[in-house]
Amino acid sequence: GSAIANAGSSVHGAVQEIDKQKQEAELSAKRLELYNNDLAKQEAKVKLDDIMTTEMNEQVTLVKNGVSNGDYNAKAGQDALNKWSEDRYKQIESELPEFARPDLNNYWRDNVNRQASGLLPLQLRADMQKGVVLADRYGDIASRYDRKQGRAYLETNLASLNLPAADVQARVNAFESGQDILEIEGAISSAVENKDTNSLHQLITKMDNGGFGYTDGQTLQQKKNQVLSRIDAIDTQVRVEENKRNSEATKLLNDYKSNVLTGRAQDSEYENNVSKAVAGTESETEFKFLQQQSVNFQRFAKMSTSEQQRLINEQKAKMKNTPSANAADEEKILSAYEDIHKSKLQTAKTNPNQVV
């Protein structure tokens, strides 16, 4: 009986052993399958890593550059990246182990999304840069209008850009300062053209009294020095021209005086030209005196030398004995009489036939 019992126990033990070995074999097979699957997944992942660090990186760089340059916005960039990503993934999906595809797809998408997240700051920077370029252009265009219209144009257009308030204010101030400089330079040009030093002195007064409030002190000082230099230049030029004109007027006056003292009538056009030339010069008073006395001198020149001498004596006696309101003019008339008389005596001596 015990032998049968022992045999049964032995069979049961053998069956258990077989079960155990079978279980271990199944477990080993399962472990091997898991290991193989893990390897297959790692291999697939490496394949994705390879593409992500080459082709995808290249696409990301292209898209980022496009957004940075303002060729398109972050949304359009992300759409372009997503489309490329989907198309590229479809091409390789069949090469990936089927059991791991959901995980690998998520891994791929996470990487794309991470890359795309950097596009928005790039767009903001690109927009800011575009805004700066536009703001510069608005400033240039504003300077072509008159001051009031230009400022209105600039402020309206700057308000439509996403610029910091301090930047907007700085641009408006720069526009106003530019207008200050244009006004100053325009005033200088006009004054120099018209040799108008009074306007330049008024300009300095305006500078000194805060009339150009948008322009810094150093620039204003430079402009003030420029104005002072122009005033000196104009004064010098005017002085030189006045001296030249006075000199020419003196010469013309002396010629006219010589002609008048011949006792002959003067040509009206000649007299008119001399009158214009001496107008406003030191010679004008003397010219007018000679012009007024011209007829008187002509009459005196026609007298005989003895009559002339008698009139000269009378004039001297009158000047000596009678108070005069205009002694200087009487002195000039007497001097002219004497010159005409002396000339007539000289002519009588050298050429008697000419004496009337």
Side-chain angles (χ1 to χ4, degrees):
S2 66
I4 291 168
N6 285 342
S9 172
S10 174
V11 169
H12 179 70
V15 169
Q16 272 189 329
E17 185 64 30
I18 288 164
D19 280 351
K20 189 180 174 189
Q21 284 174 354
K22 191 180 173 190
Q23 279 177 345
E24 280 181 2
E26 282 174 1
L27 206 61
S28 289
K30 192 76 179 166
R31 268 203 297 267
L32 190 60
E33 190 189 346
L34 283 172
Y35 180 63
N36 282 338
N37 284 353
D38 197 39
L39 274 178
K41 190 177 177 181
Q42 291 299 324
E43 281 174 347
K45 206 173 172 192
V46 162
K47 189 177 281 188
L48 294 187
D49 286 343
D50 187 40
I51 295 170
M52 287 191 298
T53 55
T54 53
E55 294 173 47
M56 189 186 285
N57 270 1
E58 202 174 299
Q59 285 303 311
V60 169
T61 301
L62 287 173
V63 168
K64 281 186 173 178
N65 285 345
V67 174
S68 293
N69 296 335
D71 299 336
Y72 40 80
N73 61 21
K75 171 81 171 62
Q78 189 162 1
D79 290 347
L81 197 56
N82 285 343
K83 184 175 185 323
W84 178 89
S85 161
E86 281 170 27
D87 292 347
R88 187 70 184 94
Y89 190 80
K90 273 179 195 162
Q91 289 170 10
I92 53 166
E93 195 171 23
S94 61
E95 300 167 26
L96 307 176
E98 204 166 328
F99 74 89
R101 282 178 194 173
D103 284 350
L104 291 169
N105 194 5
N106 287 340
Y107 177 65
W108 175 271
R109 281 177 180 281
D110 283 348
N111 190 66
V112 173
N113 292 338
R114 196 166 55 252
Q115 298 275 26
S117 68
L119 294 177
L120 197 59
L122 292 177
Q123 185 197 320
L124 289 173
R125 201 176 309 140
D127 287 350
M128 187 69 81
Q129 192 52 44
K130 268 186 180 174
V132 168
V133 171
L134 273 172
D136 288 345
R137 291 191 67 191
Y138 288 142
D140 287 343
I141 292 166
S143 67
R144 296 173 203 159
Y145 291 111
D146 66 47
R147 191 170 199 147
K148 191 177 174 188
Q149 208 178 347
R151 177 163 180 157
Y153 171 87
L154 184 63
E155 286 183 327
T156 303
N157 284 294
L158 289 180
S160 68
L161 300 174
N162 190 22
L163 294 176
D167 187 16
V168 171
Q169 191 55 55
R171 286 173 182 279
V172 171
N173 289 353
F175 165 79
E176 288 287 2
S177 177
Q179 292 297 304
D180 280 356
I181 299 301
L182 284 176
E183 187 183 328
I184 291 167
E185 287 177 350
I188 291 172
S189 294
S190 172
V192 167
E193 197 177 323
N194 299 309
K195 297 191 182 76
D196 179 7
T197 52
N198 282 341
S199 291
L200 292 177
H201 282 295
Q202 284 168 11
L203 188 60
I204 286 178
T205 303
K206 190 174 178 181
M207 284 183 191
D208 289 343
N209 294 335
F212 300 100
Y214 287 96
T215 302
D216 64 277
Q218 190 181 354
T219 304
L220 271 185
Q221 189 56 53
Q222 286 170 354
K223 289 292 162 196
K224 189 174 169 182
N225 291 343
Q226 189 182 343
V227 173
L228 289 168
S229 156
R230 294 292 184 277
I231 291 171
D232 283 347
I234 292 170
D235 284 345
T236 302
Q237 189 183 358
V238 166
R239 203 160 48 245
V240 167
E241 285 173 3
E242 270 180 14
N243 289 345
K244 188 181 173 193
R245 195 159 173 255
N246 277 326
S247 172
E248 286 170 358
T250 302
K251 186 174 176 295
L252 287 170
L253 176 69
N254 289 338
D255 291 344
Y256 178 74
K257 186 175 182 179
S258 299
N259 290 334
V260 167
L261 293 182
T262 62
R264 288 194 291 271
Q266 301 304 306
D267 176 75
S268 61
E269 191 182 344
Y270 163 69
E271 200 165 57
N272 201 30
N273 287 341
V274 176
S275 173
K276 281 181 190 167
V278 299
T281 70
E282 300 155 355
S283 302
E284 186 175 19
T285 309
E286 178 75 2
F287 168 78
K288 283 186 172 169
F289 167 75
L290 290 169
Q291 192 181 30
Q292 285 164 0
Q293 295 296 326
S294 181
V295 176
N296 178 25
F297 294 154
Q298 288 169 42
R299 193 170 57 244
F300 181 80
K302 287 173 184 167
M303 294 176 180
S304 65
T305 50
S306 55
E307 280 179 306
Q308 285 178 346
Q309 188 61 62
R310 182 177 54 77
L311 197 61
I312 287 169
N313 292 340
E314 279 177 14
Q315 183 76 8
K316 280 181 179 174
K318 183 181 165 192
M319 284 166 66
K320 193 176 178 183
N321 302 321
T322 315
S324 170
N326 205 340
D329 279 0
E330 287 180 2
E331 193 69 57
K332 282 189 209 167
I333 292 169
L334 177 61
S335 175
Y337 282 173
E338 286 177 330
D339 284 346
I340 294 168
H341 178 61
K342 202 183 291 175
S343 176
K344 192 159 189 168
L345 286 175
Q346 187 64 33
T347 305
K349 203 180 283 182
T350 56
N351 197 346
N353 298 331
Q354 274 191 18
V355 178
V356 180

